[in-house]
Amino acid sequence: MNQPPQEIPRGLIDQCVSAREVVAFTGAGVSAESGVPTFRGPEGIWTKFKPEELASMDAFMKNPALVWEWYAHRRTIIGAVHPNPAHVALAEMEQIFPRMTVVTQNIDNLHRRAGSKRVFELHGNIERSYCMQCGKAYPDVVLPERGSVPKCTCGGTIRPDVVWFGEMLPEEEWESSVAATTSADLFLSIGTSAIVYPAASLPSLARRNGAVVVEVNPEPTPLTETADWFLQGPAGEILPELHRRIASIKKKA
Ligand code: BJW
Ligand code: ZN
């Protein structure tokens, strides 16, 4: 983790330069350098909590106040942080690749805040909530006092608009992400442990459809062996360098 990032090979840069459709598929690691904890690994949120104790409907039904407390805590963190150089580099890459899509598993809004325009959020967004009874959307729900749960005007319980284990992904975002992945010729998998499905099926879908798959992560993952390139290191260092190298070649062309 503390090794300096490797130099980006020229062969990889050339493949990036000739790409027309690009997908950046991101996970919690892309926001780690902003100060948002990842889920797994030594610093992960879930080293303290078991996932099924927090991110499932069962957990919410059993103890909604605890689950709300967790989301309130994370919303406080996310509200206080800023996009990091990895988010910014991806947003700037849209200038180079007009057909670029960000497909994110993150709920933290940092890609949009960095300026990315075409962002599909596979696991929802922490800023939104909705009533489980009548479906009313609460774009900016007042966070509950510790130990309580926000209620709708209909009396129903409000929940965060995120995707928990055992739940379907939002259909439109998923279909659009699959379409973008299928037609991509460059697929960047950044800061994800690549173990949560169906999102984790996107890199192999990209590869089957002819994309060059590049992984950016300080640690190897189940994807590493099948990726065409593995750039080992923090996204906040690697992505600005990748952007700089591609942009300088494109400018000369
Ligand atoms: C850096 C870095 C730096 C660090 N730079 N990198 C077997 C049993 C039970 C269930 C299943 C099963 N097989 C499949 C399933 C289904 C389940 C699943 O996949 N489980 C697996 C864990 C096995 N999937 C689902 O249930 C999904 N729905 C579904 O399948 O629907 C169909 C269905 C319907 C009905 C019944 C059954 C099926 C839904 C999955 C929803 C996941 N939701 C969460 C919470 C979202 C809301 C919230 O944020 O609170 O999504 S879980 C959590 O994991 C979150 C993340 O988006 C997701 C992925 O995590 P991510 O982003 O990869 O983070 P980490 O922490 O794992 O990794 C960070 C990485 O960054 C690491 O690799 C670091 O090295 C790296 N890193 N610093 C770059 N500076
Ligand atoms: Zn309601």
Side-chain angles (χ1 to χ4, degrees), residues 6 45 78 86 93-94 97 132 154 156 165 170 210 222 242:
Q6 68 191 84
I45 310 172
I78 288 165
M93 278 166 80
E94 278 186 2
F97 299 110
M132 285 164 61
C154 81
F165 284 113
L242 186 64

Side-chain angles (χ1 to χ4, degrees), residues 111-225:
H111 287 300
R112 286 219 180 81
R113 284 175 57 194
S116 285
K117 299 272 183 311
R118 204 168 125 87
V119 181
F120 297 128
E121 294 169 323
L122 294 181
H123 293 162
N125 189 304
I126 198 165
E127 289 177 8
R128 299 190 309 254
S129 309
Y130 66 90
C131 170
M132 285 164 61
Q133 190 159 289
C134 71
K136 183 174 173 188
Y138 283 84
D140 205 4
V141 76
V142 176
L143 293 177
E145 296 283 308
R146 204 172 170 181
S148 72
V149 174
K151 292 285 181 187
C152 179
T153 45
C154 81
T157 298
I158 296 174
R159 61 162 282 181
D161 191 357
V162 299
V163 180
W164 287 326
F165 284 113
E167 296 184 329
M168 306 298 285
L169 272 52
E171 199 175 333
E172 221 173 282
E173 309 265 330
W174 174 245
E175 295 299 334
S176 304
S177 301
V178 166
T181 299
T182 306
S183 57
D185 35 36
L186 176 65
F187 185 96
L188 309 170
S189 177
I190 303 154
T192 176
S193 56
I195 59 166
V196 174
Y197 283 82
S201 66
L202 292 176
S204 54
L205 177 67
R207 199 146 197 276
R208 282 201 304 282
N209 284 281
V212 173
V213 174
V214 180
E215 182 180 36
V216 178
N217 200 309
E219 307 293 336
T221 73
L223 169 65
T224 308
E225 273 197 12

Side-chain angles (χ1 to χ4, degrees), residues 17-36:
V17 167
S18 58
R20 292 168 54 83
E21 300 210 14
V22 180
V23 169
F25 170 59
T26 66
V30 80
S31 299
E33 289 156 83
S34 291
V36 182

